[in-house]
């Protein structure tokens, strides 16, 4: 078996047996799935109803949109890796609490350490702000960031795109630039200056520089 897969399986067992983790009494573990050697790791916020039932990430309506976007890129779902920051469903699909994010964070960090993706594509503001606390999704989606040795590419959450055609268009546009972002990350990031419109963060906003 792939060495990375072995380490991932061990990590999954560790989470399963840590019954002190929040949500462990009320929901199933949705660890994540995909190709351990993928260039891109998508990170959502937390599982929903269908994900909890099937113990797989992004298998509901939002997942169907994610699959469709992957198909547009000719990237089979199995070729990428997909997971969430919080690995169990919050009751009634409420937003994850800061303490839930904090409790699962060390496991997510280890998962990423094993996977070593070229790019982390965050889906929605929770996973984006987990890596880039000062970013704003409407301003910073579709830009490539480099922080703590990770390349982060924020995207709108597919569920938000299902509620708004504008968001869907933006998500699609950003998504289709993912191969380009991966290439830039592989080349160490900076290839060209961001266009002038992107150089000035909004007042009181982001201080981390994006690479495009
Ligand atoms: N939304 C998420 O953030 N993650 C999932 O796995 C499903 C829906």
């Amino acid at each position: 078996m792939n060495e990375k897969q072995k380490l991932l399986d061990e990590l999954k067992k560790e989470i399963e047996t840590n019954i002190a983790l929040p949500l462990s009494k009320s929901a199933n573990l949705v660890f994540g799935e995909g190709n351990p050697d993928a260039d891109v790791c998508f990170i959502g916020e937390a599982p929903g109803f269908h994900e909890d039932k099937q113990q797989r990430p992004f298998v509901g309506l939002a997942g169907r949109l994610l699959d469709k976007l992957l198909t547009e890129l000719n990237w089979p779902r199995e070729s990428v890796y997909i997971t969430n920051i919080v690995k169990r469903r919050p009751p009634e699909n409420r937003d994850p609490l800061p303490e839930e994010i904090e409790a699962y964070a060390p496991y997510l960090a280890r998962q990423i350490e094993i996977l070593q993706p070229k790019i982390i594509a965050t889906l929605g503001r929770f996973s984006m702000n987990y890596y880039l606390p000062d970013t704003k999704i409407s301003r910073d989606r579709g830009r490539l960031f480099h922080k703590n040795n990770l390349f982060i590419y924020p995207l709108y959450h597919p569920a938000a795109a299902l509620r708004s055609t504008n968001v869907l268009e933006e998500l699609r546009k950003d998504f289709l630039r993912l191969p380009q972002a991966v290439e830039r990350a592989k080349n160490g990031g900076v290839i060209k200056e961001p266009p002038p419109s992107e150089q000035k963060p909004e007042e009181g906003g982001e201080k981390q520089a994006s690479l495009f």
Side-chain angles (χ1 to χ4, degrees):
M1 190 198 277
N2 180 307
E3 179 63 18
K4 285 185 178 181
Q5 191 58 57
K6 202 171 128 237
L7 293 170
L8 290 168
D9 291 347
E10 283 166 15
L11 182 63
K12 183 177 172 189
K13 269 210 189 86
E14 241 187 84
I15 306 180
E16 256 160 359
T17 49
N18 181 357
I19 55 166
L21 277 170
L23 307 170
S24 59
K25 288 188 189 65
S26 61
N28 292 312
L29 175 63
V30 181
F31 178 72
E33 66 181 22
N35 175 8
D37 296 311
D39 282 344
V40 182
C41 176
F42 291 91
I43 305 187
E45 112 191 13
F49 176 84
H50 296 284
E51 289 76 21
D52 177 64
K53 286 271 168 285
Q54 296 185 39
Q55 294 194 258
R56 296 180 59 206
F58 283 96
V59 289
L61 276 183
R64 251 190 264 169
L65 176 55
L66 179 62
D67 290 351
K68 189 163 169 275
L69 292 165
L70 287 168
T71 303
E72 284 194 49
L73 280 180
N74 267 326
W75 286 1
R77 181 179 161 112
E78 306 71 44
S79 71
V80 300
Y81 198 88
I82 307 173
T83 189
N84 287 295
I85 14 179
V86 170
K87 303 208 185 290
R88 287 190 176 93
R89 180 194 181 206
E92 314 297 329
N93 291 353
R94 63 153 167 73
D95 288 345
L97 302 173
E99 56 267 33
E100 290 163 354
I101 293 175
E102 202 183 316
Y104 285 92
Y107 294 105
L108 176 64
R110 284 172 57 198
Q111 200 171 18
I112 296 301
E113 185 66 34
I114 296 166
L115 292 167
Q116 298 279 324
K118 297 287 181 281
I119 278 203
I120 291 175
T122 55
L123 298 168
R125 67 190 164 90
F126 280 93
S127 48
M128 179 189 75
N129 286 143
Y130 169 76
Y131 285 106
L132 305 163
D134 300 324
T135 48
K136 251 176 74 176
I137 193 123
S138 55
R139 185 191 62 203
D140 295 316
R141 87 271 160 350
R143 298 169 72 183
L144 184 65
F145 292 83
H146 191 208
K147 195 180 169 194
N148 299 336
N149 253 341
L150 298 172
F151 284 96
I152 318 283
Y153 188 71
L155 293 166
Y156 276 123
H157 196 290
L162 291 172
R163 294 190 292 266
S164 152
T165 43
N166 279 351
V167 172
L168 176 59
E169 271 171 37
E170 305 285 24
L171 170 61
R172 196 166 165 270
K173 204 169 72 191
D174 297 338
F175 209 96
L176 297 181
R177 289 170 73 226
L178 258 168
Q180 202 186 331
V182 170
E183 282 317 302
R184 291 204 174 166
K186 281 183 179 171
N187 290 334
V190 190
I191 285 182
K192 67 169 186 162
E193 288 295 308
S197 61
E198 289 186 13
Q199 283 181 359
K200 233 191 217 158
E202 281 166 26
E203 208 166 317
E206 171 57 10
K207 286 171 199 72
Q208 292 139 353
S210 75
L211 302 177
F212 77 77

